[in-house]
Amino acid sequence: MLSLAQNPRLLRLQNLHQIPLKCLHTSPIPTPTPSPSPSKPTSQILKIRKSLLSRETTAVEIAKTFLDRLRRTEPHLKSFLYISPADAVLKQAEEIDRRIQNNEEVGPLAGVLVGVKDNICTSDMPSTAGSKILENYRPPYDATAVKKLRENGAIIVGKTNLDEFGMGSTTEASAYQVTANPWDLSRVPGGSSGGSAAAVSARQCVVSLGSDTGGSVRQPASFCGVVGLKPTYGRVSRYGLVAYASSLDVIGCLGSSVADTGIVLQAVSGHDKFDATSSKQGIPDFASQFIPSDYLDSKPLNGLRVGVIRETLEDGVDPDVISSLQGAASHLEDLGCTISEVSFPSFSVGLPAYYILASSESSSNLARYDGVRYGNQIFADELSSLYGHSRAGGFGTEVKLRILMGTYALSAGYYDAYYKRAQQVRTLVQKSFKAALEENDVLISPAAPSVAYRIGEKKNDPLAMYAGDIMTVNVNLAGLPALVLPCGFVEGGSSSLPVGFQMIGSAFDEEKLLKIGHIFEQTLQGCCFVPPLVANDF
């Protein structure tokens, strides 16, 4: 592949309008004709709020626009497992319009359509976690993050597709359907939050929630050309998130701009009495970091120390991805940052440690799915038959594999050799990050070793798929926040594919990440990360 992103500042809009749309369906969406597009990302949330409060448009009109785009694109993308009925969405939009008309207060997310990953509980929609064992399951409550979104005026438009129970890196392990990448329908959107990333990329919703256990928000963000934010462990309540690996799981945000992800994070953060692992740490005003580009100095990040993780640029990483990261680093340097190289000796051992810990915790968490209490109930004369029929038919191949791996690692005689050593590696990873972040304000790396791969390319090679998480899993082991931003494009056959880079910060320092990320994207001249699928609408 030939790189189009040696330096992201050199990208121009005309490159994007030449991308042919490769469609795999009999009713293709035509390739859009060139049209003006923004040269830098803008906050869709702030734009919606301004247009609503100024009476330029209505929440109903906004909802109809997104519902129409969703109707046109969803047969091709398959981002959603469940879409809220149009009349229910419009009813909520009408209520927002009524409140505005009566000069009543509306929340900061009023009129914003949000997609929610289907492993996050919603009381009025199914929550299947992408698994047959939870088919048609409707929780009796909203997850805390969903409840907070609704309290802030957001409209939940539907539940997005995912790898079953979040176990996968391509969204091909869903029990229901395979989601396509909006930039090239023959490629995966990443995983496990592939549906959430694809929906935002294709502008089927404004923002979305995903979950990140080992990179499941950040890798899809890179593949789909959107912004993905993994908060510090404990920043957002996990209450209502279907458990995969409880010490690693976090709810994250996806948006088309840094400002949008920060606004959503502001809405869903905070201590929750229903989650003993949620932090009481104060929540900064993230929106205060989103300074308009017209007010920025020539060196707005002057004095900031940025460390490039050396081990993320070695063998196994596509040269074009490395070029894109180097271009991003060069741009940060132009903004006033001091760039240095950081060695991370424990980087490579984080991946096997992660999979041992995640599989071990999943084998424990998924023991609750016995065919009695959740999902489709199974009737049998004997307990062994009940478990066998429910779990054998309800779990997919990848989930069974990880349960078996985890059970083996926790079994007598192997606990010390695997699980205990993995926890020791986790401590090493945490110490390495602590040392590196004492010398640097943020660390950067690629978000994935390559651009999006073709559907089916990794499905039968689990080790190759697991290796795709090498850039992200260490962050989860350390419980740190990380932000993924688009930084360029790579030519991938018949289309150009987005590349993202990852910024890692200290615990509970999302404010700094959002500030740097916002300045980075606002000064990245001539970039437009809207896929051809929806380019005519922008």
Side-chain angles (χ1 to χ4, degrees):
M1 293 189 294
L2 299 176
S3 174
L4 295 179
Q6 296 296 329
N7 189 322
R9 292 166 292 163
L10 303 181
L11 287 170
R12 292 294 180 265
L13 293 174
Q14 56 264 34
N15 292 335
L16 299 181
H17 298 310
Q18 297 168 1
I19 301 173
L21 177 65
K22 185 172 182 179
C23 189
L24 302 180
H25 303 270
T26 55
S27 55
I29 301 173
T31 303
T33 54
S35 59
S37 297
S39 60
K40 53 192 174 185
T42 56
S43 170
Q44 296 300 305
I45 294 176
L46 295 179
K47 183 178 178 181
I48 287 172
R49 184 169 183 82
K50 180 180 178 182
S51 63
L52 288 178
L53 297 182
S54 65
R55 312 295 204 275
E56 292 177 17
T57 187
T58 66
V60 168
E61 291 171 342
I62 292 170
K64 285 181 177 179
T65 298
F66 278 93
L67 289 172
D68 178 63
R69 189 180 299 116
L70 203 159
R71 176 186 59 79
R72 289 186 285 111
T73 57
E74 182 56 17
H76 303 267
L77 292 178
K78 296 183 172 61
S79 302
F80 285 85
L81 291 177
Y82 177 87
I83 298 173
S84 184
D87 56 351
V89 172
L90 295 177
K91 184 178 179 179
Q92 294 177 69
E94 288 170 359
E95 174 60 18
I96 292 169
D97 288 334
R98 185 197 66 77
R99 292 175 65 87
I100 292 175
Q101 195 66 34
N102 293 337
N103 295 316
E104 298 178 25
E105 187 68 28
V106 293
L109 297 179
V112 174
L113 271 65
V114 182
V116 175
K117 190 175 179 179
D118 202 35
N119 62 346
I120 301 173
C121 289
T122 45
S123 59
D124 56 345
M125 303 177 193
S127 299
T128 69
S131 178
K132 288 291 185 182
I133 207 165
L134 285 175
E135 190 171 16
N136 300 320
Y137 172 66
R138 285 182 179 250
Y141 65 97
D142 280 336
T144 297
V146 172
K147 180 183 177 183
K148 289 187 174 185
L149 287 177
R150 295 191 200 271
E151 290 172 348
N152 280 273
I155 300 173
I156 308 301
V157 71
K159 304 301 289 295
T160 57
N161 194 25
L162 70 155
D163 289 301
E164 186 178 3
F165 286 102
M167 299 180 189
S169 303
T170 62
T171 313
E172 293 173 283
S174 169
Y176 300 100
Q177 62 192 27
V178 175
T179 298
N181 190 313
W183 290 89
D184 183 341
L185 299 182
S186 70
R187 295 179 183 267
V188 301
S192 63
S193 305
S196 293
V200 171
S201 179
R203 305 312 192 257
Q204 294 177 318
C205 55
V206 182
V207 290
S208 65
L209 290 185
S211 66
D212 193 310
T213 306
S216 294
V217 162
R218 289 161 289 151
Q219 186 233 41
S222 177
F223 282 7
C224 293
V226 297
V227 178
L229 174 61
K230 175 220 171 284
T232 306
Y233 185 83
R235 171 70 83 183
V236 179
S237 170
R238 292 186 298 111
Y239 181 71
L241 171 64
V242 176
Y244 164 18
S246 301
S247 72
L248 301 166
D249 296 339
V250 295
I251 291 177
C253 319
L254 293 131
S256 57
S257 68
V258 173
D260 283 348
T261 59
I263 293 169
V264 173
L265 179 64
Q266 187 91 50
V268 300
S269 294
H271 177 67
D272 178 16
K273 66 180 181 180
F274 296 115
D275 177 11
T277 64
S278 68
S279 173
K280 295 182 180 179
Q281 187 87 12
I283 306 169
D285 180 8
F286 297 126
S288 65
Q289 303 302 317
F290 308 137
I291 303 170
S293 56
D294 294 341
Y295 294 93
L296 295 176
D297 299 331
S298 59
K299 299 280 187 180
L301 298 178
N302 194 39
L304 196 82
R305 301 165 300 167
V306 175
V308 181
I309 301 176
R310 179 194 307 162
E311 287 76 8
T312 64
L313 304 178
E314 295 178 347
D315 294 343
V317 184
D318 279 3
D320 298 317
V321 172
I322 294 175
S323 295
S324 295
L325 180 73
Q326 291 170 339
S330 176
H331 185 61
L332 287 170
E333 193 170 28
D334 289 346
L335 293 172
C337 296
T338 301
I339 308 295
S340 62
E341 195 175 71
V342 175
S343 179
F344 204 106
S346 61
F347 181 84
S348 62
V349 294
L351 185 66
Y354 163 81
Y355 273 101
I356 289 172
L357 296 174
S359 297
S360 298
E361 292 186 30
S362 70
S363 74
S364 176
N365 279 324
L366 270 61
R368 71 192 69 178
Y369 301 102
D370 52 14
V372 177
R373 291 168 287 184
Y374 302 97
N376 296 327
Q377 293 186 332
I378 304 295
F379 298 94
D381 294 330
E382 297 180 355
L383 188 62
S384 59
S385 298
L386 172 69
Y387 284 175
H389 292 156
S390 63
R391 294 166 73 83
F395 288 144
T397 302
E398 184 64 30
V399 173
K400 293 175 186 174
L401 175 63
R402 298 199 190 195
I403 289 174
L404 290 171
M405 288 169 55
T407 303
Y408 179 82
L410 292 173
S411 61
Y414 296 99
Y415 178 91
D416 287 349
Y418 295 104
Y419 185 79
K420 182 178 179 181
R421 291 187 68 185
Q423 289 286 26
Q424 291 169 337
V425 169
R426 184 177 195 167
T427 301
L428 289 176
V429 169
Q430 292 169 344
K431 289 181 178 178
S432 295
F433 270 120
K434 186 175 185 295
L437 288 168
E438 284 175 352
E439 300 294 329
N440 297 276
D441 294 289
V442 295
L443 306 175
I444 65 172
S445 75
S450 69
V451 293
Y453 9 90
R454 296 191 180 279
I455 293 173
E457 183 179 336
K458 308 277 187 181
K459 190 173 183 180
N460 297 319
D461 190 353
L463 291 179
M465 184 179 70
Y466 297 165
D469 296 333
I470 193 168
M471 301 296 175
T472 52
V473 295
N474 286 289
V475 178
N476 294 79
L477 291 175
L480 300 177
L483 179 71
V484 164
L485 290 166
C487 64
F489 294 92
V490 169
E491 188 174 322
S494 62
S495 60
S496 290
L497 302 170
V499 180
F501 81 104
Q502 175 178 232
M503 286 195 298
I504 305 162
S506 299
F508 298 102
D509 205 5
E510 291 90 352
E511 187 176 17
K512 183 181 293 181
L513 290 179
L514 291 167
K515 176 183 178 179
I516 299 168
H518 177 71
I519 292 173
F520 179 92
E521 71 174 8
Q522 293 303 304
T523 54
L524 197 63
Q525 298 298 320
C527 264
C528 171
F529 288 89
V530 179
L533 194 69
V534 294
N536 270 347
D537 295 334
F538 287 82

